[in-house]
Amino acid sequence: MKVEATATGKNVHPLLKVENLVKRYTKRSLAGTPEELLALDSVSFTISPGTTLAVVGESGSGKSTLANCLACLESPTSGNIWFEGKDIVKLEERACRQVRRQIQLIFQDPASSLNPRWSAFEVLVEPLILQRKFNREEIKKRVNYWLGRVGLSQDIVGRSPMELSGGQRQRLAIARALTLEPKLLILDEALSALDCSVQAQIANLLMELQGSLGMTYLFITHDLAMAAHFADEIAVMDRGRIVEQGPPNKIFIQPEQETTRRLLAAVPRIGRGDQSALER
Amino acid sequence: MRVRRVLTRWLVTLGVLHGIVGFAGFFAPYDPVEQDRKSPYLPPMRFHLIDGQGHFHARPFVYALKLREGSFDRYVENTTEPQPVRFFMKGARYRLLGFLPCRRHLFGLENTRIYLLGTDAYGRDQLSRLLFGGQVSLLAGLLGAGITLSIGLCIGAVAGSFGGWRDSLLMRLAELFMALPWLYVLFAIRAFLPLAVSPLRAFFLIITVIGIVGWARPARLVRGVVLSAKERDFVRAARGFGATHGYLFRRHILPETSSVLLTQAAILIPQYVLAEMTLSFLGLGVPEPVPSWGNLLSSLQQYSVLVSYWWIYLPALAMVPFFLGYLGLASSLQERGAAYKIESRIWGI
């Protein structure tokens, strides 16, 4: 595999390399020609291990489709996704299941990503049970470890996810994904449903986990400020394409594209009277 | 919480009603096929507490009825002899719940017979026939609904999970089934069978036919639930953990269908009881002398009975609490189901 120079300046094998990814949806109606929607229009990027790439864009720009394609939950129309040097696009179902464990997706709304009929414990052990590698003792040990790691107390395990707060639910979802020890964690607007203080707590938790476990994140958001706080590199998406890509500093100081400027203008600023930033 | 209380109330009501029918042998004073040829079309007897002399009796009593001179169906009360009602007395043999041999009845008379809902053309006790008939009709409703829901669940699950041509084929078939005029199809099916069939065979035939007829609606509802459940985040998350399709269906999708199935059951059971009644009323159901609610009402086909003996209508009135109970149950189940987001979407269909 080719060695690529990434934004962090280290020469390493990329963990994930996406080449000319295209996803096209066709809407068939009874009369007339089928309508086509190009959700992803030849998207290419790479992520090095242990770094964070933030994908920012307005809603409808194809961010979530990208997340689903990368997590093997949808198959792209064309293009390649190289994960640890393997092309995961054309894998058959059985092999796909193996890859899916390595790439975990955290959803925007933790209320819907946790089965409301189950208890927090059942939710948490589901990935471990599906692996069929662990006995009861080991499962309990792992669950307790990850609960502690994401800062949840152990007495929540008997409750239903519906009885937990938004922050607790998202921590639970993250803990559940981490029990599989994935190499890549995709956070699809994972923080946007939470209020500010909880957002900051979970962002710090994720950064701390990255430091200690060497996690790689693909952080999908519409919030440029959060992306800048978090990411080593930012990719800006607009209507299915990556229009601009670079380190946060560059994106913030010298945005080249209109889309980026619009997103920057939307970032709320506190305590500054001048409007120049918005008019830039 | 409130929904739950209402649900419990309906369940208890239905439980009591079904209990009475289930223990028909105990609550009914007589055997449902036992005839009393001396008293055909006897009107319902009334309980009394005060006799002709103005004496008060603590134990309720009835007056025996005897035919009026020169009449064949007009009765007069024999007010000279009050017949006190006895409770928990020994009477006709029966099998409790179909297997426990027993002789105790809730009430009865020492010397003559008691007919609280009157008698039919053969002098059979209407109350006993109503209670025993309920066993046949309600069982037909319950089993028929069970068959329908099993078929509907299987077909709906296949259509929803596989999609594609299987889905289209099954859903067009469902539309066809919903468009058929079912009563006449049942006549046609009955025409293929011999004239005289044993009661048991007739019973299972009815159940099978009405059970198979109705699969289309539950199948469509289950398909809708499966389709939307497949796209829910927690199902996608489980796919991300490497779950197989079988696991996803068993653990995540199937439980989602439960509330739709329960609501459908509460709607289908009374419908199927009514279907059994219609068939028996027309003489296509369980043959005489076995009582069923449809058989009880079938004598109303004669105009003379229709206008002369009002108590023959009473079985129809007795069904009202059952149907009301099931409808109440269905609506509170639906209300509970609406608490989940996806089911409320299904009901929008």
Side-chain angles (χ1 to χ4, degrees), chain B residues 274-314:
Chain B
L274 207 59
E276 188 280 334
M277 285 168 64
T278 311
L279 287 178
S280 297
F281 180 80
L282 294 170
L284 294 173
V286 187
E288 287 276 354
V290 177
S292 88
W293 285 350
N295 281 350
L296 260 73
L297 293 166
S298 68
S299 56
L300 288 176
Q301 286 174 28
Q302 299 160 33
Y303 182 73
S304 58
V305 176
L306 200 68
V307 294
S308 314
Y309 314 112
W310 58 269
W311 55 92
I312 303 295
Y313 289 91
L314 286 178

Side-chain angles (χ1 to χ4, degrees), chain B:
Chain B
M1 229 44 230
R2 200 191 63 80
V3 177
R4 215 192 165 92
R5 226 178 22 241
V6 175
L7 192 67
T8 322
R9 196 187 305 152
W10 286 119
L11 279 174
V12 168
T13 312
L14 282 172
V16 169
L17 289 171
H18 283 78
I20 292 173
V21 170
F23 292 94
F26 173 70
F27 289 102
Y30 304 112
D31 191 286
V33 297
E34 195 185 340
Q35 303 185 355
D36 180 7
R37 287 297 180 102
K38 292 198 300 294
S39 37
Y41 292 125
L42 185 124
M45 290 177 174
R46 280 183 302 159
F47 282 126
H48 296 272
L49 284 173
I50 296 166
D51 65 18
Q53 282 83 46
H55 295 302
F56 176 80
H57 294 240
R59 183 184 282 277
F61 63 90
V62 295
Y63 290 120
L65 295 172
K66 58 175 189 233
L67 273 176
R68 188 186 285 166
E69 296 286 326
S71 160
F72 66 93
D73 65 345
R74 298 286 154 201
Y75 293 86
V76 283
E77 282 187 332
N78 177 9
T79 49
T80 52
E81 272 182 77
Q83 304 285 344
V85 178
R86 304 262 167 232
F87 293 98
F88 302 104
M89 63 176 290
K90 269 189 180 173
R93 292 174 192 281
Y94 62 93
R95 287 179 179 275
L96 200 65
L97 295 171
F99 62 93
L100 273 173
C102 210
R103 290 194 68 178
R104 289 274 163 210
H105 294 266
L106 178 62
F107 62 92
L109 295 184
E110 293 272 311
N111 309 316
T112 53
R113 296 169 72 86
I114 182 166
Y115 299 114
L116 287 183
L117 292 184
T119 65
D120 65 6
Y122 304 101
R124 295 178 295 199
D125 179 32
Q126 281 274 91
L127 179 64
S128 306
R129 288 183 71 72
L130 176 72
L131 292 174
F132 277 99
Q135 291 187 335
V136 173
S137 296
L138 290 175
L139 196 62
L142 289 167
L143 290 180
I147 293 173
T148 293
L149 291 178
S150 325
I151 300 176
L153 177 62
C154 292
I155 292 184
V158 168
S161 324
F162 290 101
W165 64 268
R166 294 182 189 85
D167 185 23
S168 314
L169 181 78
L170 288 171
M171 286 306 107
R172 295 299 87 72
L173 202 65
E175 279 153 24
L176 179 72
F177 261 68
M178 286 169 101
L180 284 176
W182 276 104
L183 193 58
Y184 304 100
V185 174
L186 287 179
F187 287 171
I189 293 170
R190 185 65 185 82
F192 280 106
L193 295 160
L195 178 64
V197 285
S198 75
L200 201 67
R201 274 184 63 191
F203 178 70
F204 282 110
L205 179 80
I206 297 178
I207 290 176
T208 320
V209 171
I210 55 184
I212 289 172
V213 164
W215 64 268
R217 189 173 296 276
R220 280 161 58 118
L221 289 169
V222 167
R223 171 182 173 268
V225 175
V226 171
L227 279 182
S228 63
K230 269 205 311 196
E231 291 308 312
R232 298 196 75 182
D233 281 348
F234 59 80
V235 177
R236 285 144 51 92
R239 268 178 74 199
F241 308 143
T244 59
H245 290 300
Y247 170 89
L248 290 177
F249 184 76
R250 220 173 46 247
R251 295 280 289 148
H252 287 293
I253 296 174
L254 204 58
E256 293 288 312
T257 64
S258 66
S259 87
V260 162
L261 287 179
L262 281 176
T263 315
Q264 275 296 301
I267 293 168
L268 282 175
I269 292 167
Q271 257 181 29
Y272 282 3
V273 170
L274 207 59
E276 188 280 334
M277 285 168 64
T278 311
L279 287 178
S280 297
F281 180 80
L282 294 170
L284 294 173
V286 187
E288 287 276 354
V290 177
S292 88
W293 285 350
N295 281 350
L296 260 73
L297 293 166
S298 68
S299 56
L300 288 176
Q301 286 174 28
Q302 299 160 33
Y303 182 73
S304 58
V305 176
L306 200 68
V307 294
S308 314
Y309 314 112
W310 58 269
W311 55 92
I312 303 295
Y313 289 91
L314 286 178
L317 209 62
M319 286 148 214
V320 173
F322 283 91
F323 289 7
L324 219 54
Y326 274 111
L327 288 177
L329 184 67
S331 75
S332 52
L333 277 172
Q334 196 169 333
E335 214 169 303
R336 193 191 65 161
Y340 292 102
K341 227 191 315 179
I342 77 152
E343 273 105 355
S344 61
R345 229 186 290 155
I346 306 306
W347 290 108
I349 289 171

